[in-house]
Amino acid sequence: MLEDVERWLARRSWSVADRSLDVLTAAKRKTRSTVSVVLPALNEEATVGEIVAVIRRELMDSPALALPLVDELVVIDSGSTDRTAEVAAAAGARVVHRDAILPRLPARPGKGEVLWRSLMVTGGDIVCFVDADLKEFSADFVSGIIGPLLTDPEVQLVKAMYDRPLGERAGQGGRVTEMMARPLINMHWPRLAGFVQPLGGEYAARRDLLEQLPFPTGYGVELGMLVDALHLVGLDALAQVDVGVRKHRHQDGQALGRMAAAIYRTAQLRLSRGHLIRPRLTQFDRTDDGFVPRTYSVDTEERPPMLEIDEYLDRQAA
């Protein structure tokens, strides 16, 4: 590991226990910062309600807080066919459908598309993203990662770090991270090698950074954002906070393969920005007739920095 990464680990890695809620609310009052929490959701009715309820109860409505730590909580529904929207709204979130945001731009499938559009319908100086499939959710996932942004003006983006069990096996989750993202990062962006969970879906950043970044529309959004933030603001503006254990729904092997292909493509684009080979992936399913090929398009589209979108500039000027 590079010496500057070792120094960064000592300087920019914390535990959620390092900052109490009282410290965070005092810092929030002093800086007059506002905080938005965004949950991108697609068919997550089993988990989204509990996540929303915990955030509302512990970080927005709690009488123990000197002031709310979270100012707005928004679920962006990207086309759920279950009761995700109804459950989230009943638990206390504002629910916005992806297609209602920037309707002049037809929506592309993918998580990154939803995160990008969320900037149009939130107003916080700090924007915190949390996946909607988390189980046994703790408010530490939010308070932990917004903490450094509230207390240290030099910090621009904070990732959550945690253990990811696979079933009963500790530390075996994050398979795409270990088999694809970590090797890519160590070979091509070694200054990011200190991030424990570079692909984790729980992170927070200052709005004025997010609005300058392009957003890959699919699974490559976390890698792309981390690499682009490194180039834009430097390693010392990035940080991570240990929030414990993350339990969530695990994807099957083929879905992980498609995620890995999207992440590799995102890395390719940042390494060359040129004309690249075809962005498609063929996998195989066994049937009664033998192995059948299934070919998928790899997420390759990116949305431009939000500062290039007229509607966003008009909203900021209003």
Side-chain angles (χ1 to χ4, degrees):
M1 184 176 289
L2 299 176
E3 288 185 9
D4 61 342
V5 176
E6 292 183 352
R7 290 192 295 269
W8 175 84
L9 275 169
R11 174 175 163 78
R12 290 297 193 218
S13 294
W14 294 288
S15 165
V16 64
D18 291 335
R19 297 173 178 85
S20 69
L21 290 180
D22 288 342
V23 168
L24 297 186
T25 53
K28 186 172 185 284
R29 186 188 302 278
K30 180 179 179 181
T31 60
R32 298 183 180 180
S33 300
T34 53
V35 177
S36 301
V37 175
V38 172
L39 277 67
L42 177 63
N43 294 329
E44 302 293 358
E45 70 169 295
T47 50
V48 69
E50 177 64 14
I51 297 171
V52 170
V54 169
I55 295 172
R56 283 217 66 99
R57 182 176 66 247
E58 299 187 24
L59 302 179
M60 300 180 76
D61 302 331
S62 172
L65 296 177
L67 76 165
L69 197 57
V70 171
D71 298 284
E72 65 174 346
L73 175 54
V74 182
V75 170
I76 309 293
D77 183 3
S78 57
S80 297
T81 56
D82 65 2
R83 299 181 60 254
T84 291
E86 294 90 334
V87 170
R94 175 162 63 95
V95 179
V96 183
H97 195 284
R98 173 199 63 195
D99 296 347
I101 308 169
L102 286 171
R104 73 174 175 87
L105 298 175
R108 296 166 179 161
K111 177 184 178 183
E113 177 81 356
V114 175
L115 301 185
W116 181 74
R117 288 176 184 254
S118 75
L119 298 181
M120 277 295 304
V121 293
T122 55
D125 305 309
I126 295 168
V127 182
C128 175
F129 299 120
V130 176
D131 282 349
D133 66 342
L134 301 189
K135 303 173 183 178
E136 300 178 26
F137 178 77
S138 167
D140 288 350
F141 276 78
V142 174
S143 61
I145 57 179
I146 67 175
L149 294 163
L150 290 171
T151 59
D152 190 334
E154 296 180 356
V155 174
Q156 296 287 313
L157 183 149
V158 182
K159 298 280 292 191
M161 57 177 167
Y162 32 68
D163 181 46
R164 297 180 70 176
L166 182 61
E168 299 302 317
R169 293 179 295 163
Q172 297 300 308
R175 290 162 287 172
V176 175
T177 294
E178 300 303 330
M179 292 187 288
M180 175 60 72
R182 202 175 307 284
L184 283 172
I185 287 170
N186 277 265
M187 287 186 289
H188 299 297
W189 299 282
R191 299 187 73 210
L192 295 174
F195 277 95
V196 175
Q197 297 292 350
L199 300 186
E202 290 70 47
Y203 49 100
R206 300 191 189 280
R207 176 175 294 272
D208 56 8
L209 170 62
L210 292 172
E211 64 190 14
Q212 297 179 69
L213 298 177
F215 277 59
T217 58
Y219 287 121
V221 63
E222 275 83 23
L223 177 65
M225 189 177 297
L226 204 55
V227 170
D228 292 341
L230 173 68
H231 291 309
L232 191 62
V233 296
L235 181 60
D236 200 51
L238 312 180
Q240 60 186 348
V241 174
D242 186 350
V243 297
V245 179
R246 183 186 198 267
K247 296 181 180 180
H248 64 109
R249 172 174 44 83
H250 291 281
Q251 303 277 3
D252 63 32
Q254 290 205 337
L256 296 178
R258 296 190 290 275
M259 292 172 63
I263 289 160
Y264 182 64
R265 172 66 169 178
T266 299
Q268 278 187 318
L269 289 170
R270 277 149 183 78
L271 288 168
S272 69
R273 299 290 183 181
H275 297 288
L276 302 172
I277 59 176
R278 70 183 183 94
R280 297 178 70 78
L281 174 71
T282 298
Q283 297 176 318
F284 293 87
D285 293 331
R286 180 184 282 281
T287 69
D288 292 341
D289 299 320
F291 287 101
V292 176
R294 311 286 188 196
T295 300
Y296 301 88
S297 296
V298 174
D299 296 323
T300 60
E301 299 294 334
E302 297 198 3
R303 291 299 192 183
M306 193 57 81
L307 284 177
E308 298 179 12
I309 302 299
D310 290 341
E311 290 93 330
Y312 187 78
L313 295 176
D314 290 344
R315 193 198 73 163
Q316 297 294 86

